[in-house]
Amino acid sequence: MNDVLSPETVKLDTVPLSPHIATEIRGLDLAKPLDGATIAALRRLWLDRAVLLFRGQTFTQEDLLRFAGYFGEVGKRGLSGKAIPSALGGVHPDIMFISNIRKDGKTIGALPDGEMNFHHDMIQTEIPHIASLLYAIEVPSYGGDTCFASGHAAYDTLDPEIKARLEGKRAFHHYQYGSQKRGEPGRASDLVDEFAHPVFRTHEENGRKAIYVNRLMSLKIEDMEEPESSELLAALFDHAEKDEFVYRHQWKVGDLVIWDNRNSMHARTDFPSDQRRLMWRTQVRGTQRPY
Ligand code: OGA
Ligand code: MN
């Protein structure tokens, strides 16, 4: 159960949550600043496991931002991020709500309702955020689970023939804020971002390759005719979403999860619309284009 890292690092109390992705870390109070050796050990574990879970945390928004800062520079929220009403306890510009709660008929946060397909956050932009964090404040009695899929495990087991056909190719990604609808490639606008990135992304810190397309946002392989592009994308989605690559997280109040958008994608299961769900969310900026 206790992973032993290299001797000069601190020992973390860790529990792997699935074979390929996600580890829980016990015994850390993240409302207090962490020392450098602990931060280094967490970063190393994160680069290996893509998703870290800490349960039972009691945070202020500043605590959440300090913790996010251990992984890089805290990123601005996307267009879908709304300022938090002060009546709801905060206005920090780098934190957004993910919530279905409505006040006077209007949602107080982003991504309010129901299920979401697998995606990589901000893949539709030139330099996507490398990490996202969610901290659970209110959770429904069932559903609203977040599923994380390992892009490395999916790449490593991909059919070699598909791999060969896609090696060196890029795919167009597109996202319309506030909507799960997919658009047409080549239709970027103020509301619709679009960018092309490698189908197989090399992680700049661990050197491993990951499948870097997803069902929600990836529209087309560049320089490939239809129907070949759609057929190959469908094969990639179906493979990368297999249960064996996935950790499904059932939220409890006080859970903090940080995930790596370079080598994992995530999805959300449906939940009852008449039950409240509220998460604080922040993110860590990328520093370079995916390659
Ligand atoms: C996100 C996201 C999933 C969830 O915040 O990027 O995909 O479970 N959230 O709310
Ligand atoms: Mn997301």
Side-chain angles (χ1 to χ4, degrees), residues 123 125-128 196-198 201-202 204 212 288-291:
I123 197 173
T125 61
E126 180 175 6
I127 303 184
H197 293 301
R201 177 177 185 163
T202 305
E204 60 264 25
Y212 195 58
Q288 61 182 82
R289 270 198 199 182
Y291 68 93

Side-chain angles (χ1 to χ4, degrees), residues 111 116-117 119-122 132 216 259 261 266-267 281:
L111 311 177
M116 288 188 79
N117 267 332
H119 62 280
H120 302 78
D121 292 334
M122 306 288 285
S132 309
L216 182 62
W259 66 85
N261 284 306
H266 56 283
R281 181 186 197 282

Side-chain angles (χ1 to χ4, degrees), residues 274-290:
D274 57 351
Q275 293 189 25
R276 289 160 64 105
R277 187 178 192 269
L278 171 61
M279 312 270 178
W280 290 352
R281 181 186 197 282
T282 192
Q283 51 272 319
V284 179
R285 285 178 59 163
T287 55
Q288 61 182 82
R289 270 198 199 182

Side-chain angles (χ1 to χ4, degrees), residues 175-203:
Y175 188 57
Q176 188 156 8
Y177 292 99
S179 160
Q180 292 221 44
K181 281 192 213 120
R182 290 152 50 101
E184 297 294 321
R187 293 251 192 98
S189 72
D190 286 354
L191 278 178
V192 181
D193 279 338
E194 183 181 277
F195 216 85
H197 293 301
V199 170
F200 304 129
R201 177 177 185 163
T202 305
H203 193 294

